[in-house]
Amino acid sequence: MDYLQPTEVDALLTAAHAYGNKRAHLCLALMYASGTRISQALNLKGVDIIPDPSTGGYRVRIRGAKKGRTRPFRVMTSNNPAFDMTPIVELARLQGTNRLFGGLTRFYMHILVKKFAATAGLHADMVSCHRIRHSTAMKIYTQSQRIGIVSAYLCHTDAASAFNYVAESDSQLGDQIMADVFANA
């Protein structure tokens, strides 16, 4: 599996933030934080950012692209503005029932990701929207050493999607791992 190292993700998100397209940056940060597919991220609406009474923060309700699975992910906070997703809450208020990331398309996001990669000093051919998902998976696996957590966090319908001999489902641990990544960025 091809993925980006944490330092490469840091450089990519920093380049995205510096570029100035707030929606593209937040979309990319969301994709990394949740491991979501680009199509799922672009289909989000403002109303999909929901309060989380248990933490006092917010969650992103991501509807599953495959088999209709839906799962809420934390809106990650960080002192590093490249990793801080809290501006997504205000964007959600503005968008309401409209698409959260407005006119962004898959094609345009792929172009922007290549541009961010080049700006970050990464080889553009080695970076893609789906590779961000792989990077999330590897970060969670590296921290937990449990492929079932990765499978649950990425909303696989079957743990065999990751490895067919492991069956765990602790997506909350995956959520905590990614929250720690963003908090310490």
Side-chain angles (χ1 to χ4, degrees), residues 85-127:
M85 291 175 50
T86 54
I88 207 168
V89 175
E90 181 58 30
L91 181 61
R93 283 190 190 116
L94 294 172
Q95 293 302 105
T97 58
N98 295 321
R99 292 199 180 213
L100 186 61
F101 300 115
L104 292 179
T105 64
R106 289 176 63 151
F107 181 73
Y108 187 51
M109 274 304 293
H110 285 295
I111 290 171
L112 286 176
V113 165
K114 300 292 184 188
K115 182 180 275 200
F116 301 153
T119 301
L122 305 173
H123 194 287
D125 290 343
M126 299 302 293
V127 181

Side-chain angles (χ1 to χ4, degrees), residues 66-84:
K66 296 184 178 180
K67 307 248 181 196
R69 295 182 69 180
T70 300
R71 182 165 117 53
F73 293 87
R74 284 190 212 180
V75 171
M76 303 296 181
T77 60
S78 176
N79 291 329
N80 180 342
F83 280 78
D84 186 25

Side-chain angles (χ1 to χ4, degrees), residues 28 30 35 67 69 75 84 94 107 132 154 156 163 169 180:
L28 189 61
L30 170 76
K67 307 248 181 196
R69 295 182 69 180
V75 171
D84 186 25
L94 294 172
F107 181 73
I132 302 301
L154 298 179
H156 288 152
F163 290 116
S169 63
D180 292 345

Side-chain angles (χ1 to χ4, degrees), residues 1-4 130-131 133-139 141 147 150 154 163:
M1 174 171 65
D2 295 323
Y3 61 95
L4 301 173
H130 200 71
R131 191 151 297 159
R133 182 174 167 84
H134 290 187
S135 302
T136 304
M138 283 308 296
K139 183 62 181 176
Y141 182 73
I147 197 67
V150 174
L154 298 179
F163 290 116

